[in-house]
Each structure stands twice: as structure tokens, then as C-alpha cells.
Amino acid sequence: MTQSTLTSAQTPGTPQGSAPAASATAPTASRSPWSGHPEAEETRRWTEVAETVAAQLAEDVLTRDAAGGDPFDSVRLLKDSGLTRLLAPAEYGGHGGHWSTAFRVVRILARTDASLAQVLAYHYNNEESIVFSGDPEVRETWYRRSTAGAWVWGDAVNPVDPDLTLTDTGAGLVLSGTKRFCTGSGVGDALLVLARISGGPRDGRLHHVVLEHDRAGVEHHDDWDLLGQRQSSSGSVTFHDVTVSPEDELGGVDDPFSTLVTPAIQLSFVNLYVGIAEGALARGREITNARKNAWFRSEADLYRHDPFVLRLYGELTSQTAAAAALADQVAQEFEEVIGQGNAVTREARGELAVRIAQAKVVSDAAGLAAAHQVYEATGSSSTRAGVGLDLFWRNIRTHSLHDPVDYKKHEVGDRFLNGTLPPVSLYT
């Protein structure tokens, strides 16, 4: 399969079942700015920051969710707290944090406001495309611009949409077309765009460019009106013959290290789902403990003493705890792989993808079960809109459909039975 025949969901330059070797001349030491695992102080610090931001978001989360639209004020909280600069290297103005810390932050925010947690998760993956797709020599320029402006990075990448077109006119690149489901695009200072080059020496290559929110010819559509994740700022974006300068270009995705961007976003989803489950159970506990009396046939005096209610919470909290433990373990494995830089192999990348697929299967099930079955303990009165318990179910039901979990199960089973690694793509 040649590069020009790759589907939009595949990784550019990486046919299914194989991966190109890392360049022998590429600088191994500088490829990955992340190494090791966070010290306890880093974990403590950013846990406290995330919990503080989550508490502020909780004050009006139901009102904002009902209103929908782009969450500019809430995104300002993310910027002012320093969370948007968490993963950027310290030498370029960031906080030099670790990926496991970022995943933890996403989980904490998702307990309260999964929409904002999604915006931040995508920001981390989009901004870190500076490393995944960009050349080391331009890294400092991009990071300094991003950290100085406390940028939030949205995207127009959706692989299942028809490709945008980057036309090489001979005098430069021109971007045109429309992308749907562009998370963070409405509130993003920077917009990461993935499009296929047409014409010129790079014909057929999928290529990343970065545009500012208000670039001439970029039209943001206020058309995100889904059941959940209502403030994830995921509307469509149309590009009307936008001129792309060389300074706007970031690069492609063409070796095992650069393709770690997909495991990174999938592991972000894992933590999003775990956080939603934890939030649903915490809210369910408040409602259940406040209920008076018990079901008329129960021998218990209160619902929270009823053996069936205790059994339900015991099952749901155990499932969620297992999902959280697996997510934490796989986050450690992710850091070990990403710290290898150019030394990352196709096999290491594939094994990591399978482990994340396992965590995705477990977290998807735990999140859906918790957000749905908690109603069995809280009763019909908890279905009132003002209670807010439905927020968790709507959010997990919406985002869990991002890509079919059955295919994650297939990847895990295929590796277990046949020793097959998943294909390298923008979903695996």
C-alpha cells in the first residue's frame, strides 16, 4: 500500500501491519522531552489545582450544560490555573509535567465537568503534536508561542470525515474544506488541522498545520448540539481557501514515536470515562444518603442500609476502582514508552496500544454501568433535571461512541489469540 492510497483513518506513511524505521540521523536524545515518572510533589500539586478548578466548575455546571455553546469563561479557569501549560517543557515556559499527571487531571475534572475535561484532554494531545509531528529544531518556537499566550489547542482532525485539501499551488499551500467534530475549535487559540496535500513534491501526504482561531477564511460553525458533552466546543469548521505559510506547517506522522499521539488520546478517553464513573457514584452517594425511610418491603430503616442498595454500590464502586487501577498502571507504561523517543519500536508501540485498548474496554463498561445503574439506588426523584445525575449518563453515553469499543475488544482478542498487533491508525 503506497502513501497516496492510505485511508483518512490511517496514519500517514504507515501501511497497516508495518511501520517505517526511525531515521538513523534523527536526534534520539532530543526527540522526547518526557522521561521517567512524576515525583510525589508534582502529583500532589496538580491534583490540588485540578480539584480546585473542578470545584469552581461545579458551581454552574448544570446551567452551562443546559445552555451549551462555547465555554470561554470556563476555559479561562484552565488557563489561569496553569493546567494548559502542564505538559510543555519547563525550558520553553511550561511546567514540565508528566503524562500520567495530565491523565490524572483529566480524570479529576471529568468527575464534575466532562466537557471541560474533554477540551483539556484534546488540548494536551494537540499541543504535544509539537513533539509528535514537529521537527526538534522548531519545537522551541511553537512551545514559546503556546506557553506565552496560554494557548488552548483545538483541532480539525476527525479521520472519518472526507479529507480537507491542502493544495500546493507552487507558490504555497491553500487549505479548503470542512471538518466536523472539531473539539476545542470554538474556544481554541490554536487550531491543529490535518489535511492531505494535493500536488507538488509532497502530493498525497497527510500533513499538520496550525492556524490561529481568527485566521482569515476560517469559519467556525455553532452546530454542536448533541445529547452530552455539550460544552466540549466540538462544532464544525470550514476553511475557505486559507493561505498556509511555511510558518504554519507542523509536519506529518510517519514513525512509531510520532504515532504515539493515538495511544495518548485513547488513554485520555480512558481517564475521562473513569472520572465520569467516579463523579456519578459520588453524586449518587449524596442522593442515596439523603433519602429518608426505605422501600416498604425492606427490613432496613434507610435506603443506605438496604442490602440490595449496598450490593449495587459495592459492585459499581469495585468496577470503577478496577478501571482506575488499570488506567494508572497503563499510564506508567505509556510514560516508559514515550520516554524512549526515536528508540520506540513498532512492537513496543503496538503492545502499548493493546494495553490501552484493554483499559478502554474496562473503563467504557464501568462508566456506562455507573452512570446508568446508579439510578436504581437513587430512585425516580433523582431523574429531575435539577438534580443533575443525568449529566453523567449523557456525557458517557455520548463520548463512549467516539469509536466502537467492539473494535478495541477485537484488537485485544486478536493479540491474545493470534499474536497480532493492531494496525497503526488514527484510532488505534
Side-chain angles (χ1 to χ4, degrees), residues 25-71:
T25 60
T28 301
S30 64
R31 187 64 188 277
S32 178
W34 306 290
S35 63
H37 305 293
E39 300 289 341
E41 175 56 26
E42 177 185 322
T43 302
R44 183 202 61 77
R45 174 189 178 187
W46 292 108
T47 295
E48 290 182 357
V49 170
E51 289 176 343
T52 298
V53 172
Q56 293 174 285
L57 292 172
E59 294 175 2
D60 62 350
V61 62
L62 297 183
T63 302
R64 288 185 291 103
D65 177 78
D70 293 323

mmCIF file of all heavy atoms in Angstrom, residues 25-71:
data_model
loop_
_atom_site.group_PDB
_atom_site.id
_atom_site.type_symbol
_atom_site.label_atom_id
_atom_site.label_comp_id
_atom_site.label_asym_id
_atom_site.label_seq_id
_atom_site.Cartn_x
_atom_site.Cartn_y
_atom_site.Cartn_z
ATOM 1 N N THR A 25 19.614 9.261 11.379
ATOM 2 C CA THR A 25 20.284 10.526 11.680
ATOM 3 C C THR A 25 19.492 11.409 12.621
ATOM 4 O O THR A 25 19.940 12.479 12.999
ATOM 5 C CB THR A 25 20.544 11.304 10.382
ATOM 6 O OG1 THR A 25 19.283 11.556 9.738
ATOM 7 C CG2 THR A 25 21.438 10.504 9.449
ATOM 8 N N ALA A 26 18.285 10.986 12.987
ATOM 9 C CA ALA A 26 17.454 11.815 13.860
ATOM 10 C C ALA A 26 18.037 11.846 15.263
ATOM 11 O O ALA A 26 18.578 10.858 15.746
ATOM 12 C CB ALA A 26 16.025 11.263 13.900
ATOM 13 N N PRO A 27 17.914 12.972 15.963
ATOM 14 C CA PRO A 27 18.484 13.109 17.303
ATOM 15 C C PRO A 27 17.689 12.361 18.350
ATOM 16 O O PRO A 27 16.607 12.771 18.735
ATOM 17 C CB PRO A 27 18.413 14.627 17.540
ATOM 18 C CG PRO A 27 17.283 15.099 16.679
ATOM 19 C CD PRO A 27 17.264 14.200 15.483
ATOM 20 N N THR A 28 18.201 11.233 18.816
ATOM 21 C CA THR A 28 17.479 10.387 19.761
ATOM 22 C C THR A 28 17.217 11.111 21.072
ATOM 23 O O THR A 28 16.121 11.094 21.611
ATOM 24 C CB THR A 28 18.272 9.096 20.025
ATOM 25 O OG1 THR A 28 18.462 8.420 18.789
ATOM 26 C CG2 THR A 28 17.535 8.200 20.992
ATOM 27 N N ALA A 29 18.214 11.780 21.618
ATOM 28 C CA ALA A 29 18.093 12.362 22.948
ATOM 29 C C ALA A 29 17.048 13.462 23.001
ATOM 30 O O ALA A 29 16.371 13.637 24.003
ATOM 31 C CB ALA A 29 19.446 12.904 23.390
ATOM 32 N N SER A 30 16.891 14.223 21.912
ATOM 33 C CA SER A 30 16.008 15.381 21.963
ATOM 34 C C SER A 30 14.599 15.076 21.480
ATOM 35 O O SER A 30 13.737 15.946 21.536
ATOM 36 C CB SER A 30 16.592 16.515 21.106
ATOM 37 O OG SER A 30 16.633 16.125 19.744
ATOM 38 N N ARG A 31 14.338 13.859 20.994
ATOM 39 C CA ARG A 31 13.037 13.577 20.399
ATOM 40 C C ARG A 31 11.913 13.636 21.420
ATOM 41 O O ARG A 31 10.850 14.187 21.154
ATOM 42 C CB ARG A 31 13.053 12.206 19.722
ATOM 43 C CG ARG A 31 11.779 11.905 18.923
ATOM 44 C CD ARG A 31 11.633 12.872 17.753
ATOM 45 N NE ARG A 31 10.348 12.739 17.088
ATOM 46 C CZ ARG A 31 10.073 11.839 16.157
ATOM 47 N NH1 ARG A 31 11.000 10.967 15.791
ATOM 48 N NH2 ARG A 31 8.886 11.807 15.601
ATOM 49 N N SER A 32 12.117 13.080 22.606
ATOM 50 C CA SER A 32 11.080 13.088 23.631
ATOM 51 C C SER A 32 11.494 13.970 24.802
ATOM 52 O O SER A 32 12.527 13.726 25.434
ATOM 53 C CB SER A 32 10.801 11.672 24.138
ATOM 54 O OG SER A 32 9.825 11.702 25.164
ATOM 55 N N PRO A 33 10.708 14.990 25.119
ATOM 56 C CA PRO A 33 11.028 15.820 26.276
ATOM 57 C C PRO A 33 10.540 15.221 27.593
ATOM 58 O O PRO A 33 10.761 15.801 28.658
ATOM 59 C CB PRO A 33 10.283 17.125 25.975
ATOM 60 C CG PRO A 33 9.082 16.680 25.203
ATOM 61 C CD PRO A 33 9.543 15.495 24.381
ATOM 62 N N TRP A 34 9.877 14.055 27.509
ATOM 63 C CA TRP A 34 9.312 13.432 28.704
ATOM 64 C C TRP A 34 10.112 12.187 29.075
ATOM 65 O O TRP A 34 10.446 11.378 28.215
ATOM 66 C CB TRP A 34 7.848 13.042 28.465
ATOM 67 C CG TRP A 34 7.027 14.196 27.980
ATOM 68 C CD1 TRP A 34 6.644 15.299 28.686
ATOM 69 C CD2 TRP A 34 6.500 14.360 26.663
ATOM 70 N NE1 TRP A 34 5.904 16.137 27.897
ATOM 71 C CE2 TRP A 34 5.808 15.601 26.650
ATOM 72 C CE3 TRP A 34 6.545 13.596 25.499
ATOM 73 C CZ2 TRP A 34 5.155 16.070 25.505
ATOM 74 C CZ3 TRP A 34 5.905 14.077 24.362
ATOM 75 C CH2 TRP A 34 5.224 15.293 24.382
ATOM 76 N N SER A 35 10.405 12.043 30.338
ATOM 77 C CA SER A 35 11.121 10.856 30.793
ATOM 78 C C SER A 35 10.748 10.566 32.238
ATOM 79 O O SER A 35 10.409 11.476 33.007
ATOM 80 C CB SER A 35 12.637 11.060 30.682
ATOM 81 O OG SER A 35 13.066 12.117 31.518
ATOM 82 N N GLY A 36 10.824 9.304 32.603
ATOM 83 C CA GLY A 36 10.562 8.908 33.975
ATOM 84 C C GLY A 36 9.117 9.121 34.392
ATOM 85 O O GLY A 36 8.217 9.281 33.560
ATOM 86 N N HIS A 37 8.910 9.117 35.694
ATOM 87 C CA HIS A 37 7.582 9.268 36.265
ATOM 88 C C HIS A 37 7.579 10.450 37.235
ATOM 89 O O HIS A 37 8.628 10.845 37.746
ATOM 90 C CB HIS A 37 7.179 7.988 37.002
ATOM 91 C CG HIS A 37 7.260 6.767 36.142
ATOM 92 N ND1 HIS A 37 6.438 6.547 35.064
ATOM 93 C CD2 HIS A 37 8.103 5.687 36.187
ATOM 94 C CE1 HIS A 37 6.741 5.397 34.494
ATOM 95 N NE2 HIS A 37 7.749 4.849 35.155
ATOM 96 N N PRO A 38 6.419 11.035 37.507
ATOM 97 C CA PRO A 38 6.373 12.226 38.358
ATOM 98 C C PRO A 38 6.757 11.943 39.810
ATOM 99 O O PRO A 38 6.456 10.875 40.353
ATOM 100 C CB PRO A 38 4.914 12.674 38.260
ATOM 101 C CG PRO A 38 4.156 11.443 37.898
ATOM 102 C CD PRO A 38 5.084 10.651 37.021
ATOM 103 N N GLU A 39 7.412 12.930 40.407
ATOM 104 C CA GLU A 39 7.658 12.877 41.843
ATOM 105 C C GLU A 39 6.349 13.128 42.580
ATOM 106 O O GLU A 39 5.384 13.663 42.028
ATOM 107 C CB GLU A 39 8.697 13.933 42.241
ATOM 108 C CG GLU A 39 10.048 13.777 41.581
ATOM 109 C CD GLU A 39 10.820 12.578 42.102
ATOM 110 O OE1 GLU A 39 10.469 12.105 43.214
ATOM 111 O OE2 GLU A 39 11.745 12.118 41.416
ATOM 112 N N ALA A 40 6.319 12.761 43.851
ATOM 113 C CA ALA A 40 5.101 12.911 44.653
ATOM 114 C C ALA A 40 4.636 14.361 44.711
ATOM 115 O O ALA A 40 3.435 14.641 44.709
ATOM 116 C CB ALA A 40 5.335 12.374 46.068
ATOM 117 N N GLU A 41 5.575 15.309 44.709
ATOM 118 C CA GLU A 41 5.219 16.718 44.790
ATOM 119 C C GLU A 41 4.476 17.166 43.542
ATOM 120 O O GLU A 41 3.524 17.953 43.618
ATOM 121 C CB GLU A 41 6.465 17.576 44.996
ATOM 122 C CG GLU A 41 6.229 19.079 44.965
ATOM 123 C CD GLU A 41 5.187 19.559 45.972
ATOM 124 O OE1 GLU A 41 4.979 18.895 47.003
ATOM 125 O OE2 GLU A 41 4.581 20.631 45.724
ATOM 126 N N GLU A 42 4.893 16.686 42.376
ATOM 127 C CA GLU A 42 4.182 17.035 41.146
ATOM 128 C C GLU A 42 2.752 16.513 41.194
ATOM 129 O O GLU A 42 1.806 17.247 40.874
ATOM 130 C CB GLU A 42 4.903 16.467 39.926
ATOM 131 C CG GLU A 42 4.154 16.735 38.613
ATOM 132 C CD GLU A 42 4.802 16.074 37.409
ATOM 133 O OE1 GLU A 42 6.057 16.054 37.351
ATOM 134 O OE2 GLU A 42 4.063 15.583 36.525
ATOM 135 N N THR A 43 2.602 15.267 41.598
ATOM 136 C CA THR A 43 1.263 14.682 41.676
ATOM 137 C C THR A 43 0.393 15.445 42.659
ATOM 138 O O THR A 43 -0.774 15.769 42.367
ATOM 139 C CB THR A 43 1.354 13.204 42.093
ATOM 140 O OG1 THR A 43 2.172 12.494 41.150
ATOM 141 C CG2 THR A 43 -0.022 12.576 42.143
ATOM 142 N N ARG A 44 0.939 15.757 43.832
ATOM 143 C CA ARG A 44 0.176 16.483 44.855
ATOM 144 C C ARG A 44 -0.239 17.859 44.354
ATOM 145 O O ARG A 44 -1.402 18.265 44.497
ATOM 146 C CB ARG A 44 1.015 16.633 46.122
ATOM 147 C CG ARG A 44 0.274 17.319 47.286
ATOM 148 C CD ARG A 44 1.239 17.922 48.289
ATOM 149 N NE ARG A 44 2.082 18.959 47.686
ATOM 150 C CZ ARG A 44 1.662 20.196 47.424
ATOM 151 N NH1 ARG A 44 0.412 20.553 47.679
ATOM 152 N NH2 ARG A 44 2.490 21.074 46.882
ATOM 153 N N ARG A 45 0.717 18.573 43.766
ATOM 154 C CA ARG A 45 0.447 19.940 43.325
ATOM 155 C C ARG A 45 -0.673 20.008 42.309
ATOM 156 O O ARG A 45 -1.636 20.772 42.472
ATOM 157 C CB ARG A 45 1.714 20.547 42.728
ATOM 158 C CG ARG A 45 1.487 21.929 42.103
ATOM 159 C CD ARG A 45 2.708 22.398 41.326
ATOM 160 N NE ARG A 45 2.463 23.677 40.699
ATOM 161 C CZ ARG A 45 3.296 24.283 39.844
ATOM 162 N NH1 ARG A 45 4.441 23.687 39.528
ATOM 163 N NH2 ARG A 45 2.987 25.446 39.304
ATOM 164 N N TRP A 46 -0.588 19.184 41.262
ATOM 165 C CA TRP A 46 -1.564 19.297 40.195
ATOM 166 C C TRP A 46 -2.883 18.626 40.532
ATOM 167 O O TRP A 46 -3.925 18.994 39.977
ATOM 168 C CB TRP A 46 -0.966 18.770 38.892
ATOM 169 C CG TRP A 46 0.140 19.673 38.423
ATOM 170 C CD1 TRP A 46 1.481 19.421 38.442
ATOM 171 C CD2 TRP A 46 -0.009 21.008 37.936
ATOM 172 N NE1 TRP A 46 2.178 20.514 37.985
ATOM 173 C CE2 TRP A 46 1.291 21.501 37.667
ATOM 174 C CE3 TRP A 46 -1.104 21.835 37.706
ATOM 175 C CZ2 TRP A 46 1.516 22.782 37.161
ATOM 176 C CZ3 TRP A 46 -0.889 23.113 37.208
ATOM 177 C CH2 TRP A 46 0.402 23.577 36.935
ATOM 178 N N THR A 47 -2.854 17.687 41.479
ATOM 179 C CA THR A 47 -4.115 17.154 41.989
ATOM 180 C C THR A 47 -4.892 18.254 42.700
ATOM 181 O O THR A 47 -6.105 18.418 42.498
ATOM 182 C CB THR A 47 -3.857 15.981 42.951
ATOM 183 O OG1 THR A 47 -3.267 14.894 42.223
ATOM 184 C CG2 THR A 47 -5.149 15.507 43.595
ATOM 185 N N GLU A 48 -4.206 19.021 43.521
ATOM 186 C CA GLU A 48 -4.853 20.123 44.232
ATOM 187 C C GLU A 48 -5.369 21.184 43.262
ATOM 188 O O GLU A 48 -6.483 21.703 43.426
ATOM 189 C CB GLU A 48 -3.879 20.755 45.225
ATOM 190 C CG GLU A 48 -3.551 19.870 46.423
ATOM 191 C CD GLU A 48 -2.628 20.559 47.413
ATOM 192 O OE1 GLU A 48 -2.192 21.703 47.137
ATOM 193 O OE2 GLU A 48 -2.331 19.952 48.459
ATOM 194 N N VAL A 49 -4.576 21.509 42.256
ATOM 195 C CA VAL A 49 -5.013 22.504 41.271
ATOM 196 C C VAL A 49 -6.260 22.011 40.545
ATOM 197 O O VAL A 49 -7.247 22.750 40.388
ATOM 198 C CB VAL A 49 -3.881 22.805 40.265
ATOM 199 C CG1 VAL A 49 -4.409 23.641 39.103
ATOM 200 C CG2 VAL A 49 -2.730 23.525 40.944
ATOM 201 N N ALA A 50 -6.235 20.761 40.100
ATOM 202 C CA ALA A 50 -7.369 20.212 39.367
ATOM 203 C C ALA A 50 -8.620 20.157 40.246
ATOM 204 O O ALA A 50 -9.729 20.451 39.778
ATOM 205 C CB ALA A 50 -7.031 18.816 38.844
ATOM 206 N N GLU A 51 -8.467 19.788 41.499
ATOM 207 C CA GLU A 51 -9.623 19.725 42.396
ATOM 208 C C GLU A 51 -10.196 21.114 42.658
ATOM 209 O O GLU A 51 -11.412 21.284 42.774
ATOM 210 C CB GLU A 51 -9.228 19.042 43.705
ATOM 211 C CG GLU A 51 -8.987 17.539 43.537
ATOM 212 C CD GLU A 51 -8.493 16.876 44.809
ATOM 213 O OE1 GLU A 51 -8.029 17.603 45.718
ATOM 214 O OE2 GLU A 51 -8.544 15.635 44.896
ATOM 215 N N THR A 52 -9.341 22.112 42.741
ATOM 216 C CA THR A 52 -9.806 23.486 42.921
ATOM 217 C C THR A 52 -10.586 23.957 41.705
ATOM 218 O O THR A 52 -11.669 24.557 41.819
ATOM 219 C CB THR A 52 -8.616 24.429 43.173
ATOM 220 O OG1 THR A 52 -7.955 24.039 44.375
ATOM 221 C CG2 THR A 52 -9.077 25.872 43.301
ATOM 222 N N VAL A 53 -10.052 23.698 40.517
ATOM 223 C CA VAL A 53 -10.750 24.077 39.291
ATOM 224 C C VAL A 53 -12.067 23.324 39.171
ATOM 225 O O VAL A 53 -13.102 23.904 38.805
ATOM 226 C CB VAL A 53 -9.861 23.815 38.061
ATOM 227 C CG1 VAL A 53 -10.645 24.009 36.769
ATOM 228 C CG2 VAL A 53 -8.641 24.737 38.081
ATOM 229 N N ALA A 54 -12.066 22.033 39.501
ATOM 230 C CA ALA A 54 -13.285 21.232 39.431
ATOM 231 C C ALA A 54 -14.360 21.796 40.358
ATOM 232 O O ALA A 54 -15.547 21.830 40.001
ATOM 233 C CB ALA A 54 -12.990 19.776 39.778
ATOM 234 N N ALA A 55 -13.962 22.237 41.536
ATOM 235 C CA ALA A 55 -14.928 22.820 42.481
ATOM 236 C C ALA A 55 -15.537 24.097 41.916
ATOM 237 O O ALA A 55 -16.736 24.362 42.091
ATOM 238 C CB ALA A 55 -14.240 23.107 43.812
ATOM 239 N N GLN A 56 -14.727 24.882 41.228
ATOM 240 C CA GLN A 56 -15.251 26.107 40.609
ATOM 241 C C GLN A 56 -16.184 25.774 39.449
ATOM 242 O O GLN A 56 -17.233 26.409 39.285
ATOM 243 C CB GLN A 56 -14.090 26.979 40.118
ATOM 244 C CG GLN A 56 -13.242 27.554 41.245
ATOM 245 C CD GLN A 56 -12.013 28.293 40.717
ATOM 246 O OE1 GLN A 56 -11.040 27.680 40.279
ATOM 247 N NE2 GLN A 56 -12.074 29.606 40.746
ATOM 248 N N LEU A 57 -15.841 24.789 38.670
ATOM 249 C CA LEU A 57 -16.697 24.382 37.559
ATOM 250 C C LEU A 57 -18.026 23.828 38.052
ATOM 251 O O LEU A 57 -19.059 23.983 37.399
ATOM 252 C CB LEU A 57 -15.984 23.331 36.711
ATOM 253 C CG LEU A 57 -14.753 23.787 35.916
ATOM 254 C CD1 LEU A 57 -14.043 22.594 35.284
ATOM 255 C CD2 LEU A 57 -15.140 24.802 34.854
ATOM 256 N N ALA A 58 -18.010 23.189 39.222
ATOM 257 C CA ALA A 58 -19.221 22.567 39.760
ATOM 258 C C ALA A 58 -20.298 23.592 40.106
ATOM 259 O O ALA A 58 -21.486 23.259 40.140
ATOM 260 C CB ALA A 58 -18.880 21.743 41.000
ATOM 261 N N GLU A 59 -19.888 24.820 40.341
ATOM 262 C CA GLU A 59 -20.837 25.844 40.790
ATOM 263 C C GLU A 59 -21.942 26.105 39.779
ATOM 264 O O GLU A 59 -23.074 26.399 40.155
ATOM 265 C CB GLU A 59 -20.090 27.138 41.109
ATOM 266 C CG GLU A 59 -19.140 27.014 42.303
ATOM 267 C CD GLU A 59 -18.324 28.279 42.522
ATOM 268 O OE1 GLU A 59 -18.527 29.257 41.755
ATOM 269 O OE2 GLU A 59 -17.490 28.302 43.451
ATOM 270 N N ASP A 60 -21.636 26.016 38.501
ATOM 271 C CA ASP A 60 -22.659 26.315 37.491
ATOM 272 C C ASP A 60 -22.658 25.314 36.344
ATOM 273 O O ASP A 60 -23.088 25.617 35.240
ATOM 274 C CB ASP A 60 -22.465 27.724 36.939
ATOM 275 C CG ASP A 60 -21.127 27.920 36.232
ATOM 276 O OD1 ASP A 60 -20.271 27.019 36.332
ATOM 277 O OD2 ASP A 60 -20.939 28.974 35.601
ATOM 278 N N VAL A 61 -22.161 24.104 36.596
ATOM 279 C CA VAL A 61 -22.024 23.141 35.511
ATOM 280 C C VAL A 61 -23.362 22.794 34.877
ATOM 281 O O VAL A 61 -23.456 22.645 33.642
ATOM 282 C CB VAL A 61 -21.302 21.862 35.999
ATOM 283 C CG1 VAL A 61 -22.086 21.138 37.089
ATOM 284 C CG2 VAL A 61 -21.015 20.937 34.829
ATOM 285 N N LEU A 62 -24.422 22.679 35.667
ATOM 286 C CA LEU A 62 -25.716 22.316 35.102
ATOM 287 C C LEU A 62 -26.278 23.443 34.250
ATOM 288 O O LEU A 62 -26.863 23.205 33.183
ATOM 289 C CB LEU A 62 -26.699 21.955 36.220
ATOM 290 C CG LEU A 62 -26.327 20.746 37.073
ATOM 291 C CD1 LEU A 62 -27.425 20.453 38.082
ATOM 292 C CD2 LEU A 62 -26.067 19.522 36.201
ATOM 293 N N THR A 63 -26.102 24.668 34.696
ATOM 294 C CA THR A 63 -26.575 25.819 33.927
ATOM 295 C C THR A 63 -25.830 25.924 32.602
ATOM 296 O O THR A 63 -26.429 26.152 31.545
ATOM 297 C CB THR A 63 -26.377 27.119 34.728
ATOM 298 O OG1 THR A 63 -27.087 27.018 35.968
ATOM 299 C CG2 THR A 63 -26.893 28.321 33.948
ATOM 300 N N ARG A 64 -24.523 25.762 32.664
ATOM 301 C CA ARG A 64 -23.730 25.858 31.443
ATOM 302 C C ARG A 64 -24.047 24.713 30.488
ATOM 303 O O ARG A 64 -24.116 24.902 29.273
ATOM 304 C CB ARG A 64 -22.240 25.858 31.784
ATOM 305 C CG ARG A 64 -21.761 27.145 32.435
ATOM 306 C CD ARG A 64 -20.259 27.162 32.650
ATOM 307 N NE ARG A 64 -19.825 26.203 33.668
ATOM 308 C CZ ARG A 64 -19.255 25.032 33.404
ATOM 309 N NH1 ARG A 64 -19.047 24.650 32.151
ATOM 310 N NH2 ARG A 64 -18.884 24.234 34.397
ATOM 311 N N ASP A 65 -24.245 23.519 31.038
ATOM 312 C CA ASP A 65 -24.567 22.383 30.193
ATOM 313 C C ASP A 65 -25.893 22.600 29.475
ATOM 314 O O ASP A 65 -26.015 22.291 28.287
ATOM 315 C CB ASP A 65 -24.626 21.111 31.034
ATOM 316 C CG ASP A 65 -25.042 19.895 30.224
ATOM 317 O OD1 ASP A 65 -24.187 19.358 29.492
ATOM 318 O OD2 ASP A 65 -26.220 19.496 30.316
ATOM 319 N N ALA A 66 -26.861 23.133 30.183
ATOM 320 C CA ALA A 66 -28.169 23.392 29.575
ATOM 321 C C ALA A 66 -28.073 24.433 28.476
ATOM 322 O O ALA A 66 -28.763 24.348 27.454
ATOM 323 C CB ALA A 66 -29.162 23.835 30.642
ATOM 324 N N ALA A 67 -27.192 25.414 28.672
ATOM 325 C CA ALA A 67 -27.040 26.488 27.690
ATOM 326 C C ALA A 67 -26.256 26.032 26.469
ATOM 327 O O ALA A 67 -26.458 26.527 25.358
ATOM 328 C CB ALA A 67 -26.349 27.693 28.332
ATOM 329 N N GLY A 68 -25.336 25.078 26.657
ATOM 330 C CA GLY A 68 -24.487 24.654 25.558
ATOM 331 C C GLY A 68 -23.541 25.781 25.144
ATOM 332 O O GLY A 68 -23.197 26.650 25.943
ATOM 333 N N GLY A 69 -23.137 25.774 23.894
ATOM 334 C CA GLY A 69 -22.261 26.832 23.405
ATOM 335 C C GLY A 69 -20.804 26.624 23.799
ATOM 336 O O GLY A 69 -20.432 25.596 24.374
ATOM 337 N N ASP A 70 -19.991 27.607 23.488
ATOM 338 C CA ASP A 70 -18.556 27.519 23.747
ATOM 339 C C ASP A 70 -18.219 28.070 25.135
ATOM 340 O O ASP A 70 -18.602 29.192 25.471
ATOM 341 C CB ASP A 70 -17.778 28.299 22.690
ATOM 342 C CG ASP A 70 -17.885 27.681 21.305
ATOM 343 O OD1 ASP A 70 -17.894 26.442 21.235
ATOM 344 O OD2 ASP A 70 -17.965 28.417 20.308
ATOM 345 N N PRO A 71 -17.475 27.311 25.944
ATOM 346 C CA PRO A 71 -17.230 27.663 27.354
ATOM 347 C C PRO A 71 -16.025 28.581 27.555
ATOM 348 O O PRO A 71 -15.039 28.214 28.192
ATOM 349 C CB PRO A 71 -16.988 26.291 27.985
ATOM 350 C CG PRO A 71 -16.299 25.516 26.902
ATOM 351 C CD PRO A 71 -16.927 25.973 25.614
#
